Structures are given as C-alpha cells and as structure tokens.
Amino acid sequence: MKKRIYITRRLPEEAVAPLREEFDVRMWEEEAVSVPRDVLLEEAAAAHGLWTMLSDTIDRELIEQAPHLEVISNLAVGYNNIDVEAAKERGIIVTNTPDVLSETTADLAFGLMMMTARRLGEAERDLRAGEWKSWTPMGYVGMDVYRAKLGIIGMGRIGEAVARRARGFDMDVLYHNRTRRHESESMYGFVYAELDELLAESDFVVVLAPLTEETRGMLGAAEFGKMKETAVFINVARGEIVDEEALYDALKEKRIWAAGLDVFAKEPISMDHPLLTLPNVTTLPHIGSASIRTRLAMMALNREAIMSVLTGAEPKNRLT
C-alpha cells in the first residue's frame, strides 16, 4: 500500500505531480481558503506526510492523533505554526524552506519601504478615484530613501539582502541582531547598534527578525517613542513582533511618520482593524516571497523533503 501525503492547500500540479507516482496524494482543493480544522485532523490521522502552510495550526493535538506521520514540510521559512517539540517527541521530521526566498523577500521589503516613503499607494488610489485634480507644489510629498539611514532589526539572510540593496541608494546601514555579523560589517560597512540606538538614529526601521518568545511584542510604545517623528517603520517579518495598538497610537499621534506592513498579528487582517483607517499606513497581504520562481522553488524544497523522508533518505532543511 502506498504511503499517504496530505497537502493543505491546492498547489500547482507541476509542483505536486512527481509525488503522485510513488504516493497516495490527497489535497485540499481550495487555494484561497484554509482547510477546516476537522478535515485537517481527519486527513492527518491517516497521513504519513503533511505538506503544510503557515496558516495551518499543527499543534500537539493533531500530532498525537496522527500515528503514521513521518514528516511535516512547511511552505515557509517560519514554522511557529508547528509544535516542533511535540513532533520531535514522536520522531516526526519537520522541514521548512530557507534560503530560496531571501532575495525575493528583500525585493519586497525594499519596495514596500519605497512605496511607503513616497506615498505611492495613496497617490495611485487617488488617481484611480479621480481625486487628482492638479499638480501642486507639496502634493504627495514624501521622504527620501536616497542617503537616508536604514536600521535593520534581524540581520539574517533577508536582512543582509535588504542591506546590500540599500548600498545602491547610498544609505548608511545600522543593524541589530542577536549575534554580530563581523564578516558583513567588514565586507559591506554595516554597523552594529543596540536597539535603542538604532531606533533613535534611523530614518527607516525595517523588521526582519524571526518570531520567537524573545521577539514577540518586542516593539511597543516605548520603542516607537524612541524613533524620529520623521521615521518610517516597515514590517515584513511577523505581525506578533509588533504591539499593533502601540503602533496605531504612534502613527495617529504622528510620533512616527508612516508605516508599511506586509504582516499582521492576525491574518487575514480584519477590515475594521484600526491600522486600516490611517492614511499613513501602507498595507500588503503577506506577499514577501510571492514571485513565481521563488514560490515554485519553495514547493520543490517541500516536495523533495517529503519524498526523502518517506523513502528513507535524509531531507534537506531539517528542523527536528
């Protein structure tokens, strides 16, 4: 009997087809709607492999009700949606998709920074709505990116990719990270700073840190209070790193100039969320890695990891 794989969202057939030759592949047929919890529990109970999305909660309850499960492969770099300890206890291998999305996410982060600084979303919306009546001397004026000071919180692969792009705009780059990146400092001229110093000196603050117990809620009222009134705040990491109520207050009271957000504490964000009422907030629907080439490359990593585990080979990008 073939081992069973369950895929929690509809994926392109070109990504899934190689699995069908050797395994019994089942897949939730919706792309834009998460698999319901009861269906996920039922499918996981019979699965040897789970191909999951960041929106799926793979907790201890599910893991303990999946006696055949050998591998969980997550279509993301992050894996805070998976109870890794519970998986480890039961000998289940967990994998993710690092490296392949770094440059694409850096493109998005830098693009969101420029979009927010120059008020591109606001200007585009007004033009389409017929609100643009005339050129005006101070119409849609924003902040310069060129020769500004960029502060990066979380200098991993994506952070370094964003910092390299900043060099093309002649930006000074500060960074804060758990560990110093001495090689990057000497090679590119990036400067390490304590968090308070970075917040106080940066014209743009970009969050690229992973979500951990240490980073959860690390940016709140006190941190926003240390930023410049002209500062632009960008988050393309995880929404839970930021106290959204404190961010709203800082933006509404103009203690910081603007924010660009690709991620939120709860996704999809509620349409009555206070942040969506502010004109100085630019929002995107969590699309950091959303290029065709990158998403297919991520899927290939997941597919290969599942195939490796279920055929007795060692997978890449193993977390447990």
Side-chain angles (χ1 to χ4, degrees):
M1 182 179 294
K2 292 182 176 180
K3 290 184 176 181
R4 178 176 292 185
I5 297 167
Y6 186 66
I7 305 171
T8 63
R9 289 284 180 114
R10 181 166 60 84
L11 299 179
E13 185 58 27
E14 64 185 289
V16 177
L19 294 173
R20 298 191 189 278
E21 299 173 12
E22 297 185 50
F23 306 103
D24 174 16
V25 178
R26 296 170 62 90
M27 180 166 58
W28 177 243
E29 285 303 317
E30 297 284 346
E31 182 179 7
V33 179
S34 296
V35 58
R37 177 68 175 178
D38 60 335
V39 174
L40 179 57
L41 287 171
E42 181 181 352
E43 292 287 353
H48 297 83
L50 281 180
W51 190 341
T52 59
M53 313 296 132
L54 195 61
S55 54
D56 301 317
T57 300
I58 311 301
D59 54 13
R60 183 174 291 275
E61 178 194 23
L62 182 148
I63 289 168
E64 291 182 347
Q65 293 180 33
H68 310 293
L69 197 57
E70 299 178 41
V71 58
I72 303 166
S73 197
N74 209 41
L75 188 68
V77 173
Y79 48 90
N80 49 289
N81 59 310
I82 300 172
D83 189 331
V84 174
E85 283 304 311
K88 186 176 181 180
E89 289 171 16
R90 298 180 69 88
I92 299 168
I93 292 173
V94 179
T95 73
N96 64 342
T97 61
D99 301 334
V100 296
L101 52 71
S102 298
E103 299 296 336
T104 298
T105 305
D107 281 350
L108 187 283
F110 211 89
L112 180 57
M113 185 170 72
M114 295 183 68
M115 185 177 179
T116 306
R118 295 297 304 274
R119 299 170 62 184
L120 301 185
E122 181 183 356
E124 198 266 353
R125 287 192 300 272
D126 283 0
L127 186 150
R128 287 180 179 272
E131 297 295 328
W132 181 47
K133 303 301 183 183
S134 173
W135 181 90
T136 57
M138 296 300 287
Y140 303 106
V141 294
M143 297 294 174
D144 282 319
V145 176
Y146 177 64
R147 287 190 172 175
K149 182 167 286 188
L150 171 63
I152 296 175
I153 301 174
M155 189 61 104
R157 296 182 183 92
I158 299 171
E160 289 198 3
V162 171
R164 290 197 308 273
R165 283 157 176 75
R167 296 177 69 217
F169 285 75
D170 205 14
M171 303 180 83
D172 292 327
V173 178
L174 301 178
Y175 78 94
H176 180 74
N177 201 56
R178 287 182 300 176
T179 56
R180 292 281 294 269
R181 302 295 188 190
H182 295 289
E183 184 177 346
S184 297
E185 290 176 20
S186 60
M187 185 178 299
Y188 300 112
F190 308 152
V191 177
Y192 176 82
E194 294 297 335
L195 182 58
D196 287 353
E197 178 188 359
L198 182 149
L199 293 170
E201 294 189 8
S202 298
D203 299 304
F204 294 87
V205 174
V206 179
V207 182
L208 293 163
L211 178 62
T212 66
E213 288 309 308
E214 290 73 29
T215 62
R216 189 182 298 274
M218 72 178 291
L219 295 168
E223 288 71 32
F224 294 124
K226 292 167 183 168
M227 293 172 60
K228 298 178 180 180
E229 289 185 358
T230 54
V232 175
F233 177 77
I234 304 293
N235 188 9
V236 292
R238 289 291 182 267
E240 297 95 322
I241 294 173
V242 178
D243 180 336
E244 291 181 340
E245 184 176 347
L247 176 60
Y248 170 81
D249 290 340
L251 289 161
K252 185 175 177 59
E253 296 167 12
K254 299 184 178 179
R255 286 185 270 117
I256 64 173
W257 191 76
L261 308 172
D262 185 44
V263 291
F264 302 91
K266 182 180 179 182
E267 296 181 355
I269 187 171
S270 171
M271 288 296 94
D272 61 0
H273 195 292
L275 283 170
L276 298 184
T277 68
L278 298 177
N280 54 343
V281 175
T282 301
T283 58
L284 296 175
H286 202 151
I287 57 172
S289 64
S291 77
I292 295 170
R293 181 172 64 182
T294 293
R295 287 286 170 86
L296 290 176
M298 292 168 68
M299 292 173 195
L301 287 180
N302 287 145
R303 182 182 67 240
E304 291 161 10
I306 292 169
M307 291 181 73
S308 292
V309 174
L310 297 187
T311 57
E314 181 65 22
K316 297 178 180 178
N317 309 313
R318 180 173 178 167
L319 299 169
T320 60

